[in-house]
């Protein structure tokens, strides 16, 4: 404790702590912690944090404010481990940073930090970050879930998204398509679920600023025993409109789950939601066939380059060799040429003809704001509503919703 004597620290339960090399270097943080929490917080040195978070006493900690500056960049591996440990114990992390490189911030945010606040702290920003964390926790435990009503088993529309190469925008498309579908009808919003099947590097949690839950691993470990309560506990709400099954906390082998496991989860999700969006790993696995067969539409993202062209041919060849429904594939061109780029449009046409495919969705280049939206954990509709990529995904969601399930199945 930095703000009370030892007798008070025994009487007041701690709900938060700071983690830093020396908290006295962040005097404004001390003031803001006292203003927000009074004496219900303590201080940990970065060398003490791992041991403390592993103890039973840490269960009462609601969040940790991890404060760093440029002199801490040599300790990034340790800080990453601290953030991961805190997240695994259900402790939310607010990252306070001064003069730290964007690469370091990016790395720590992806390790599981829930909020980022620059130092010196803007007035009221720490309290706002605490409020956002508490609000997300309330939303995650709210009782009025979409489980109040159910579909006929397997009745929800299943849309899968897979990238043909890294960086082709598959997760960006999956996350934003799910959000646009969840908000497509203000009067009668459909129930939408986003499933992250990227067991190793899935990042829907990062893109929506959601915590990863241990319950996800527990669900995948025994899908035969899965019931409504277990499935519900594995999901987390984003603004009480979109329900998300994040990737597990730890990296897991893709072959840890079987086609039967995937089939059970898909069937359960489709029985509870109107739309189920699956963010697939880039790798073909034994259960890719399960998702492909169950999906009404299987979106495949690619770019106007040689690697995408080669992988498109290889994907088609692999599916045809197993007599799988290639006709369900819908190719989506990421960073498509602008309307006035006649040369670029000619290249798109030649690519489609040479691959013998139809590029039905062309997603414009949204620029740096797309990456920034993902790093800040918000859909494009929140942070860049007029962005051309957001507009195109919103248009796609509206057309899918208008078509409806029967026509979507017929088109597939």
């Amino acid at each position: 404790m930095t703000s009370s004597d030892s007798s008070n620290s025994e009487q007041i339960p701690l709900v938060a702590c700071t983690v830093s090399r020396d908290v006295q270097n962040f005097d404004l943080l001390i003031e803001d912690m006292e203003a927000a929490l009074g004496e219900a917080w303590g201080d940990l040195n970065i060398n003490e944090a791992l041991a403390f978070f592993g103890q039973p006493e840490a269960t009462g900690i609601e969040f940790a404010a991890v404060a760093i500056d440029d002199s801490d960049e040599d300790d990034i591996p340790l800080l990453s481990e601290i953030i991961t440990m805190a997240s695994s114990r259900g402790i939310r992390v607010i990252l306070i940073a001064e003069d730290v490189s964007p690469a370091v911030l990016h790395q720590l945010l992806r390790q599981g930090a829930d909020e980022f606040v620059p130092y010196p702290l803007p007035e009221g920003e720490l309290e706002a970050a605490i409020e956002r964390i508490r609000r997300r926790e309330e939303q995650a435990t709210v009782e009025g879930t979409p489980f109040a009503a159910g579909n006929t088993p397997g009745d929800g529309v299943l849309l899968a998204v897979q990238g043909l190469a890294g960086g082709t925008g598959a997760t960006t498309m999956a996350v934003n398509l799910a959000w646009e579908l969840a908000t497509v009808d203000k009067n009668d919003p459909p129930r939408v679920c986003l499933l992250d099947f990227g067991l190793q590097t899935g990042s829907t949690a990062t893109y929506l600023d959601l915590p990863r839950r241990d319950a996800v691993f527990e669900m995948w470990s025994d899908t035969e025993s899965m019931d409504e309560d277990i499935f519900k506990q594995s999901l987390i709400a984003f603004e009480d409109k979109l329900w998300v099954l994040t990737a597990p906390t730890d990296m897991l082998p893709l072959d840890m789950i079987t086609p039967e496991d995937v089939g059970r989860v898909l069937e359960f999700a489709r029985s509870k939601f109107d739309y189920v969006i699956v963010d697939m790993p880039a790798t073909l696995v034994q259960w890719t066939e399960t998702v492909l067969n169950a999906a009404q539409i299987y979106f495949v993202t690619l770019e106007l380059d040689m690697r995408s062209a080669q992988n498109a041919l290889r994907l088609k060849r692999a599916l045809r060799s197993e007599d799988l429904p290639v006709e369900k594939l819908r190719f989506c061109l990421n960073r498509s040429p602008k309307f006035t780029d006649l040369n670029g449009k000619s290249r798109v046409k030649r690519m489609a003809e040479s691959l013998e495919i139809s590029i039905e969705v062309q997603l414009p280049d949204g620029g740096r704001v797309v990456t920034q939206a993902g790093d800040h954990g918000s859909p494009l509709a929140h942070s860049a509503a007029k962005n051309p990529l957001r507009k195109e995904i919103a248009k796609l969601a509206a057309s899918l919703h208008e078509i409806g399930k029967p026509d979507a199945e017929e088109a597939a």
Side-chain angles (χ1 to χ4, degrees), residues 68-70 73 76 96-105 108:
I68 61 174
D69 56 27
D70 55 349
E73 295 199 2
I76 294 307
I96 315 290
E98 179 181 22
D99 297 331
V100 175
S101 69
V104 168
L105 283 177
L108 295 179

Side-chain angles (χ1 to χ4, degrees), residues 118-129:
Y119 191 89
L121 297 165
E123 185 176 356
E125 187 58 31
L126 180 63
E127 290 194 61

Side-chain angles (χ1 to χ4, degrees), residues 64-82:
V66 179
I68 61 174
D69 56 27
D70 55 349
S71 63
D72 294 303
E73 295 199 2
D74 291 337
D75 292 321
I76 294 307
L78 175 58
L79 289 165
S80 297
E81 197 173 350
I82 290 170

Side-chain angles (χ1 to χ4, degrees), residues 338-349:
K338 295 181 179 180
F339 180 76
T340 55
D341 185 358
L342 299 182
N343 181 53
K345 288 186 172 296
S346 177
R347 290 178 60 203
V348 173
K349 182 179 179 182

Side-chain angles (χ1 to χ4, degrees), residues 136 139-140 142 144-147 171-184 189-196 204-205 207-210 235-246 273-278 377-379 382:
R136 282 198 296 271
Q139 290 172 347
V142 69
T145 73
F147 291 84
T171 298
T172 295
M173 179 177 176
V175 168
N176 285 281
L177 179 60
W179 178 250
E180 296 296 344
L181 283 169
T183 56
V184 70
R191 295 162 296 163
V192 182
C193 180
L194 173 62
L195 306 178
D196 191 339
T204 58
Y207 282 31
L208 292 172
D209 196 18
L210 298 174
L235 301 178
I236 186 165
F238 179 76
E239 297 194 1
D240 207 21
K241 296 179 181 178
L242 171 64
W243 289 79
V244 184
L245 178 73
T246 70
F273 293 92
D274 300 309
Y275 293 100
V276 178
I277 315 298
V278 181
S378 65
H382 283 14

Side-chain angles (χ1 to χ4, degrees), residues 292-310:
L292 178 62
N293 284 327
Q296 274 74 37
I297 300 175
Y298 198 98
F299 292 107
V300 180
T301 61
L302 71 164
E303 292 194 352
L304 197 58
D305 55 22
M306 185 59 69
R307 59 178 188 146
S308 293
Q310 292 174 338

